[in-house]
Amino acid sequence: MKIGIIGAGNIGGNLTRRLTALGHDVAVANSRGPETLTALAEETGATPVTVGEAARGAEIVVVTVPLKAVPDLPSGFLDGAADGVAVIDTGNYYPRQRDGRIAGIEDDGLTESRWTERHIGHPVIKAFNGTFAQDILDRPLPVGDPGRMALPVAGDDEVAKRTVRDLIDALGFDTVDAGGLDASWRQQPGTPVYGLRDGVEGVTKALAEASPERTPEFRGQAL
């Protein structure tokens, strides 16, 4: 498949490495420009592009940028994507550590990915947000292996969700359907599944045990 990755940090970089190794045609972009991605491109064979070019023709687009940077993505950056493109959002809200207070999340009660979806104007599938980046390289296992990790996947578009779950399966991980995007608080930072290295049963149990109440370290300072 043709895949665009916007963000070349730990998650974006390691997805670029794995997806190119699986034979996908990957275009990768970051906020600093394609000239800063030469080393990653040489290592992986991915094509470095601008953010505005990353989705061109893509069947899957991965948005893996800091949440505070989502509003800075160029308008219409998905316009050139393939029909029915599946957009993966890996983002997390870290108000005290990085992002500052976001009113739409704190005051309006939007899940992090719903907030992102509204900014980019396209449905998103939430995945990889609680995954350790190194695990993408180190922990893939074949289907049926008892040690295979499972990742939660949330979203409203069932066709796009299936595309994303199939991709994750090809990467070497099981998945658990975590429901629609309004239920994706179950996999946000501070929840039992966030950072969990477990299989389908453990991930399903952790999702069920989640609370919608944010833990203090993942709440912004009161205004």
Side-chain angles (χ1 to χ4, degrees):
M1 283 191 293
K2 188 166 176 53
I3 299 174
I5 298 179
I6 299 174
N10 294 333
I11 293 287
N14 284 351
L15 283 175
T16 299
R17 292 178 175 94
R18 287 298 321 287
L19 291 169
T20 51
L22 289 174
H24 295 290
D25 178 5
V26 177
V28 61
N30 67 6
S31 61
R32 295 176 295 140
E35 65 279 0
T36 67
L37 295 170
T38 303
L40 182 62
E42 290 177 349
E43 175 192 346
T44 64
T47 304
V49 295
T50 67
V51 173
E53 297 168 330
R56 189 172 298 163
E59 298 157 81
I60 294 177
V61 174
V62 183
V63 177
T64 179
V65 301
L67 208 67
K68 66 179 181 179
V70 168
D72 298 328
L73 293 171
S75 177
F77 73 95
L78 292 168
D79 288 352
D83 290 344
V85 60
V87 179
I88 300 174
D89 170 37
T90 77
N92 291 306
Y93 177 44
Y94 300 123
R96 297 173 185 250
Q97 302 90 336
R98 181 191 66 196
D99 297 314
R101 191 178 191 279
I102 295 177
I105 294 172
E106 300 262 1
D107 300 335
D108 301 338
L110 296 177
T111 60
E112 297 162 10
S113 288
R114 183 68 77 193
W115 182 86
T116 293
E117 178 181 271
R118 292 189 179 184
H119 271 283
I120 69 173
H122 191 282
V124 303
I125 304 297
K126 189 176 188 73
F128 297 109
N129 73 291
T131 309
F132 292 103
Q134 194 61 34
D135 288 353
I136 294 170
L137 300 182
D138 294 347
R139 289 179 175 257
L141 288 170
V143 175
D145 190 296
R148 203 180 204 221
M149 282 176 50
L151 310 184
V153 180
D156 301 330
D157 183 330
E158 293 300 327
V159 174
K161 188 189 286 184
R162 174 44 58 192
T163 298
V164 173
R165 294 182 71 182
D166 288 347
L167 183 74
I168 293 171
D169 179 63
L171 284 166
F173 304 92
D174 288 333
T175 58
V176 174
D177 190 332
L181 212 59
D182 288 333
S184 62
W185 54 266
R186 294 184 180 277
Q187 66 192 80
Q188 292 177 168
T191 61
V193 82
Y194 180 77
L196 181 67
R197 290 166 162 149
D198 207 343
V200 169
E201 185 177 345
V203 167
T204 301
K205 181 174 182 286
L207 288 167
E209 292 173 348
S211 166
E213 185 69 24
R214 289 184 178 275
T215 55
E217 65 267 35
F218 297 112
R219 289 201 299 265
Q221 301 286 354
L223 295 178

